[in-house]
Amino acid sequence: MQTTSIEQETLIQDFLPLNGTDHVEFYVGNAKQSAHYYKTAFGFSTVAYAGPETGLRDRASYVLQQGKIRLILTTPLKSDSPIMEHIKQHGDGVKILALWVDDAYKSYEETIKRGARSYQEPQTLKDEFGEVRTAGIYTYGETIHLFVERKNYTGAFMPGYIAVEGGYQPTSTGLLYIDHCVGNVGWNRMNEAVQWYEDVMGFKNILSFDDKQINTEYSALMSKVMSNKNGYVKFPINEPAEGKKKSQIEEYLEFYEGEGVQHIAVATHDIIATVREMKVRGVEFLSAPPKAYYDTLLERVGKIDEDIAPLQELGILVDHDEEGYLLQIFTKLVQDRPTLFFEIIQRKGAQSFGAGNFKALFESLEREQELRGNL
Ligand code: FE2
């Protein structure tokens, strides 16, 4: 009976309760310069640092923050570093999607028990501000989920890092928190990855798009959105689909040389102000869809609070679902390899991902792909 199964469902305890995203760590060729880009262009501030000055011999890491978003930019100092190997293969990219938990040891134990591959055994790091406990498992490609428990810690980031205050700290552009992080996986790998998130992490598949919904004249892809139980963490997973030409997912897999994070969506409460400010600071966004997109916008999505003119001027896309609407825009690539980019999103009730914009978005992406000779 239905009621029984719903009751049972609510009685089943979440074996992996998550409080949200703790941080995203990038491995990059020059963390000092990357940090400058994310600070100047995106509006992050440096809050912590670890490197030779703090006793590390093999790497330097800059911890940047804006709202609840924490990015770590890490670079190796020597050629024999495993971080260098990662960069050699993948270029600059996301290594760690860290999840904020109340019990890192238990998170590790529960996921390992369900088949996760270990990246880092649980450890407790201590300094004068308390302790942080971490443990890590592999997800798709060489990407890691690090469980971070910081309930007994009051320092700037975690033991091993020193707090950074003052110096060059540009103003925020209004970015608030990470809405979702998207992974690209190889041919016929999406369902395997989805199954992994269900079995190992206790996530649910909340939305699916097939190649008939996500296609242009030239290329196609499939996507499934995975969410943890409380909805604080969402990981859409893409795989390429057959089309007349090479899809953006194939281009990613070729140039990242494997599976990995495709885009990070960050939320704002005022997308027009945020995007306008980011453009002034040099962030490049995908070109706006044709005028017809805005001429028919209100017919498509219903009444919205924003004026159409600034949305059209900036190239911001709008989509709706049963619960409301959302505004979104995508940056161009943030490194030379055609791999990672960002999405800026403002939700006005809608909990979906802009499926109504997929076509406009992918046509815009294909124009870029064409310029690179990769379509
Ligand atoms: Fe997205």
XYZ file of all heavy atoms in Angstrom, residues 268-319:
410
model
N 22.615 33.731 -7.140
C 22.584 35.137 -6.749
C 21.123 35.516 -6.509
O 20.224 34.840 -7.003
C 23.182 36.035 -7.862
O 22.889 37.413 -7.581
C 22.600 35.725 -9.234
N 20.894 36.600 -5.750
C 19.520 37.101 -5.587
C 19.201 38.198 -6.594
O 18.091 38.704 -6.632
C 19.307 37.652 -4.160
C 19.201 36.579 -3.130
N 18.709 35.316 -3.416
C 19.513 36.576 -1.809
C 18.733 34.582 -2.315
N 19.233 35.320 -1.335
N 20.194 38.631 -7.368
C 19.967 39.697 -8.355
C 20.876 39.442 -9.549
O 21.969 39.993 -9.667
C 20.263 41.067 -7.716
C 19.902 42.222 -8.649
O 19.617 41.974 -9.849
O 19.914 43.375 -8.176
N 20.395 38.613 -10.450
C 21.251 38.157 -11.553
C 21.637 39.305 -12.479
O 22.747 39.315 -13.026
C 20.598 36.975 -12.320
C 21.649 36.259 -13.195
C 19.396 37.437 -13.140
C 21.196 34.913 -13.740
N 20.751 40.274 -12.638
C 21.072 41.393 -13.542
C 22.264 42.174 -12.991
O 23.242 42.430 -13.705
C 19.829 42.300 -13.760
C 18.765 41.516 -14.542
C 20.202 43.594 -14.481
C 17.418 42.202 -14.657
N 22.208 42.505 -11.682
C 23.319 43.253 -11.072
C 24.601 42.419 -11.064
O 25.687 42.922 -11.370
C 22.945 43.667 -9.646
N 24.480 41.126 -10.726
C 25.661 40.254 -10.654
C 26.345 40.127 -12.013
O 27.560 40.294 -12.136
C 25.266 38.851 -10.128
O 24.832 38.980 -8.770
C 26.423 37.876 -10.189
N 25.557 39.840 -13.044
C 26.142 39.617 -14.374
C 26.708 40.920 -14.934
O 27.779 40.940 -15.540
C 25.092 38.995 -15.330
C 25.602 38.970 -16.759
C 24.751 37.579 -14.855
N 25.998 42.017 -14.691
C 26.499 43.311 -15.171
C 27.868 43.600 -14.552
O 28.810 43.979 -15.236
C 25.482 44.408 -14.826
C 25.809 45.739 -15.424
C 24.625 46.684 -15.419
N 23.777 46.510 -16.595
C 22.466 46.716 -16.619
N 21.827 47.075 -15.523
N 21.791 46.575 -17.739
N 27.981 43.369 -13.243
C 29.237 43.625 -12.533
C 30.344 42.663 -13.002
O 31.480 43.074 -13.228
C 29.003 43.486 -11.020
C 30.215 43.737 -10.154
C 30.767 45.161 -10.256
O 30.019 46.064 -10.661
O 31.967 45.351 -9.945
N 29.995 41.398 -13.178
C 31.010 40.431 -13.621
C 31.528 40.778 -15.018
O 32.705 40.613 -15.316
C 30.440 39.005 -13.591
C 30.267 38.456 -12.176
S 29.433 36.849 -12.122
C 30.767 35.749 -12.564
N 30.624 41.267 -15.879
C 31.059 41.659 -17.239
C 32.032 42.820 -17.182
O 33.049 42.826 -17.886
C 29.836 42.051 -18.087
C 29.110 40.844 -18.639
C 28.202 41.232 -19.800
C 27.685 39.956 -20.441
N 26.824 40.198 -21.605
N 31.732 43.807 -16.318
C 32.632 44.951 -16.159
C 34.015 44.461 -15.730
O 35.039 44.988 -16.144
C 32.055 45.948 -15.117
C 33.094 46.969 -14.688
C 30.819 46.639 -15.678
N 34.009 43.395 -14.904
C 35.286 42.880 -14.374
C 35.962 41.875 -15.304
O 36.958 41.265 -14.931
C 35.032 42.209 -13.031
C 34.508 43.179 -11.973
C 34.292 42.414 -10.706
N 33.660 43.203 -9.676
C 33.835 42.949 -8.381
N 34.621 41.963 -8.000
N 33.208 43.666 -7.493
N 35.373 41.669 -16.477
C 36.072 40.879 -17.488
C 35.610 39.449 -17.655
O 36.212 38.692 -18.420
N 34.550 39.016 -16.955
C 34.050 37.654 -17.176
C 33.308 37.631 -18.513
O 32.500 38.510 -18.798
C 33.093 37.199 -16.045
C 32.549 35.804 -16.327
C 33.817 37.233 -14.705
N 33.603 36.618 -19.322
C 32.922 36.486 -20.615
C 31.790 35.482 -20.500
O 31.962 34.401 -19.922
C 33.909 36.006 -21.670
C 35.026 37.006 -21.938
C 36.001 36.484 -22.966
O 36.519 35.349 -22.778
O 36.234 37.190 -23.957
N 30.644 35.847 -21.072
C 29.480 34.962 -21.051
C 29.156 34.506 -22.467
O 29.524 35.168 -23.445
C 28.275 35.705 -20.455
C 28.432 35.986 -18.985
C 29.031 37.162 -18.544
C 28.008 35.061 -18.036
C 29.203 37.409 -17.191
C 28.172 35.305 -16.676
C 28.768 36.485 -16.256
N 28.445 33.383 -22.559
C 28.015 32.903 -23.874
C 27.128 33.953 -24.520
O 26.411 34.683 -23.833
C 27.234 31.590 -23.728
C 28.063 30.363 -23.348
C 27.161 29.133 -23.248
C 29.177 30.102 -24.368
N 27.162 33.996 -25.838
C 26.423 35.032 -26.548
C 24.919 34.862 -26.340
O 24.428 33.752 -26.118
C 26.763 34.988 -28.031
O 26.522 33.686 -28.525
N 24.212 35.975 -26.394
C 22.763 35.973 -26.169
C 22.062 35.202 -27.276
O 22.528 35.175 -28.418
C 22.261 37.414 -26.136
N 20.939 34.559 -26.954
C 20.156 33.901 -28.005
C 19.564 34.957 -28.950
O 19.576 36.149 -28.626
C 19.057 33.171 -27.228
C 18.964 33.861 -25.910
C 20.317 34.439 -25.624
N 19.035 34.546 -30.116
C 18.467 35.506 -31.062
C 17.318 36.312 -30.428
O 16.717 35.856 -29.457
C 17.925 34.619 -32.188
C 18.570 33.287 -32.009
C 18.945 33.161 -30.577
N 17.039 37.477 -31.044
C 16.015 38.393 -30.535
C 14.676 37.684 -30.323
O 13.940 37.986 -29.374
C 15.873 39.542 -31.546
C 14.942 40.652 -31.127
C 14.955 41.801 -32.135
C 13.808 42.771 -31.872
N 12.484 42.189 -32.210
N 14.367 36.748 -31.200
C 13.085 36.030 -31.132
C 12.885 35.351 -29.775
O 11.762 35.232 -29.292
C 13.017 34.980 -32.240
N 13.995 34.946 -29.138
C 13.927 34.302 -27.818
C 13.252 35.242 -26.820
O 12.434 34.815 -26.008
C 15.347 33.950 -27.356
C 15.417 33.349 -25.961
C 15.391 31.975 -25.767
C 15.521 34.180 -24.834
C 15.462 31.425 -24.494
C 15.594 33.644 -23.561
C 15.561 32.272 -23.391
O 15.620 31.751 -22.129
N 13.614 36.546 -26.886
C 13.054 37.516 -25.935
C 11.671 37.994 -26.364
O 10.837 38.318 -25.524
C 14.037 38.682 -25.737
C 15.296 38.188 -25.052
C 16.437 37.862 -25.785
C 15.308 37.972 -23.685
C 17.565 37.356 -25.160
C 16.434 37.458 -23.046
C 17.562 37.150 -23.791
O 18.661 36.631 -23.167
N 11.427 38.031 -27.693
C 10.106 38.451 -28.184
C 9.013 37.508 -27.681
O 7.890 37.931 -27.437
C 10.088 38.469 -29.722
C 10.998 39.562 -30.283
O 11.354 40.476 -29.504
O 11.362 39.486 -31.472
N 9.347 36.239 -27.538
C 8.334 35.241 -27.149
C 8.492 34.792 -25.697
O 7.830 33.855 -25.257
C 8.447 34.001 -28.061
O 9.783 33.485 -27.958
C 8.156 34.332 -29.515
N 9.383 35.483 -24.966
C 9.721 35.031 -23.609
C 8.504 34.960 -22.684
O 8.267 33.945 -22.030
C 10.777 35.981 -23.011
C 11.299 35.622 -21.623
C 12.031 34.297 -21.660
C 12.231 36.701 -21.107
N 7.713 36.042 -22.642
C 6.602 36.082 -21.697
C 5.517 35.064 -22.047
O 4.892 34.488 -21.155
C 6.013 37.490 -21.616
C 6.979 38.550 -21.067
C 6.286 39.904 -20.937
C 7.579 38.135 -19.723
N 5.322 34.824 -23.347
C 4.375 33.776 -23.768
C 4.823 32.431 -23.218
O 4.015 31.593 -22.827
C 4.361 33.631 -25.299
C 3.568 34.671 -26.042
C 3.943 34.664 -27.519
O 4.082 33.561 -28.089
O 4.119 35.766 -28.071
N 6.142 32.243 -23.230
C 6.689 30.947 -22.834
C 6.693 30.755 -21.309
O 6.334 29.688 -20.825
C 8.118 30.837 -23.377
C 8.494 29.458 -23.831
C 9.789 29.410 -24.621
N 10.871 30.156 -24.031
C 11.442 31.213 -24.594
N 11.028 31.666 -25.763
N 12.441 31.831 -23.993
N 7.124 31.771 -20.575
C 7.329 31.568 -19.135
C 6.299 32.272 -18.251
O 6.298 32.083 -17.038
C 8.757 31.997 -18.684
C 9.813 31.263 -19.494
C 8.952 33.500 -18.794
N 5.409 33.073 -18.833
C 4.436 33.809 -18.017
C 5.057 35.080 -17.453
O 6.154 35.478 -17.835
N 4.330 35.698 -16.515
C 4.760 36.986 -15.971
C 6.043 36.841 -15.137
O 6.180 35.902 -14.363
C 3.624 37.510 -15.083
C 3.688 38.986 -14.775
C 2.483 39.358 -13.934
C 2.721 40.414 -12.882
N 4.044 40.821 -12.538
N 6.961 37.776 -15.321
C 8.178 37.777 -14.486
C 8.397 39.176 -13.904
O 7.869 40.152 -14.426
C 9.443 37.328 -15.278
C 9.705 38.238 -16.488
C 9.318 35.879 -15.735
C 11.046 37.976 -17.175
N 9.147 39.259 -12.809
C 9.361 40.546 -12.127
C 10.323 41.461 -12.885
O 10.275 42.670 -12.738
C 9.964 40.315 -10.726
C 9.063 39.436 -9.862
O 7.838 39.475 -10.077
O 9.602 38.712 -8.993
N 11.226 40.865 -13.680
C 12.294 41.636 -14.325
C 11.822 42.260 -15.637
O 10.938 41.721 -16.310
C 13.504 40.728 -14.616
C 14.203 40.186 -13.386
C 13.434 39.102 -12.637
O 12.478 38.533 -13.230
O 13.749 38.844 -11.473
N 12.450 43.378 -16.003
C 12.235 43.936 -17.336
C 12.972 43.065 -18.340
O 14.040 42.532 -18.039
C 12.814 45.360 -17.420
C 12.001 46.327 -16.577
O 10.788 46.084 -16.401
O 12.601 47.311 -16.083
N 12.407 42.969 -19.543
C 13.038 42.146 -20.583
C 14.340 42.793 -21.091
O 15.317 42.103 -21.370
C 12.081 41.944 -21.789
C 10.750 41.348 -21.320
C 12.723 41.089 -22.867
C 10.751 39.885 -21.065
N 14.338 44.133 -21.177
C 15.475 44.820 -21.817
C 16.839 44.443 -21.215
O 17.745 44.047 -21.951
C 15.251 46.330 -21.806
N 17.008 44.536 -19.887
C 18.335 44.165 -19.349
C 18.661 42.678 -19.508
O 19.828 42.316 -19.660
C 18.260 44.550 -17.864
C 16.812 44.726 -17.563
C 16.134 45.106 -18.837
N 17.628 41.840 -19.486
C 17.873 40.403 -19.682
C 18.426 40.170 -21.079
O 19.397 39.426 -21.280
C 16.577 39.588 -19.496
C 15.908 39.686 -18.114
C 14.619 38.861 -18.093
C 16.857 39.209 -17.017
N 17.800 40.829 -22.052
C 18.232 40.688 -23.449
C 19.620 41.291 -23.650
O 20.481 40.693 -24.302
C 17.203 41.370 -24.359
C 17.501 41.169 -25.827
C 16.361 41.660 -26.718
O 15.322 42.121 -26.236
N 16.559 41.573 -28.017
N 19.827 42.460 -23.052
C 21.126 43.142 -23.178
C 22.260 42.245 -22.666
O 23.322 42.140 -23.279
C 21.063 44.456 -22.368
C 22.377 45.176 -22.197
C 22.425 45.973 -20.893
O 21.370 46.496 -20.453
O 23.526 46.050 -20.294
N 22.008 41.549 -21.561
C 23.064 40.728 -20.943
C 23.059 39.287 -21.449
O 24.017 38.550 -21.224
C 22.904 40.742 -19.413
C 23.060 42.125 -18.763
C 22.549 42.114 -17.329
C 24.515 42.594 -18.822
N 21.983 38.879 -22.120
C 21.898 37.498 -22.624
C 21.448 36.503 -21.569
O 21.741 35.305 -21.654
N 20.705 36.981 -20.561
C 20.228 36.100 -19.485
C 19.020 35.297 -19.990
O 18.126 35.836 -20.650
C 19.857 36.935 -18.232
C 21.132 37.565 -17.656
C 19.137 36.080 -17.189
C 20.886 38.641 -16.626
N 19.015 34.004 -19.694
C 17.953 33.097 -20.133
C 16.930 32.916 -19.003
O 17.267 33.038 -17.832
C 18.550 31.732 -20.502
C 19.734 31.729 -21.482
C 20.323 30.327 -21.603
C 19.306 32.246 -22.850
N 15.690 32.618 -19.376
C 14.625 32.419 -18.380
C 13.902 31.120 -18.697
O 13.659 30.811 -19.867
C 13.596 33.592 -18.402
C 12.626 33.475 -17.228
C 14.303 34.943 -18.372
N 13.569 30.362 -17.671
C 12.763 29.149 -17.868
C 11.801 29.020 -16.689
O 11.960 29.698 -15.672
C 13.676 27.918 -17.964
C 12.921 26.697 -18.484
O 11.910 26.866 -19.203
O 13.340 25.564 -18.172
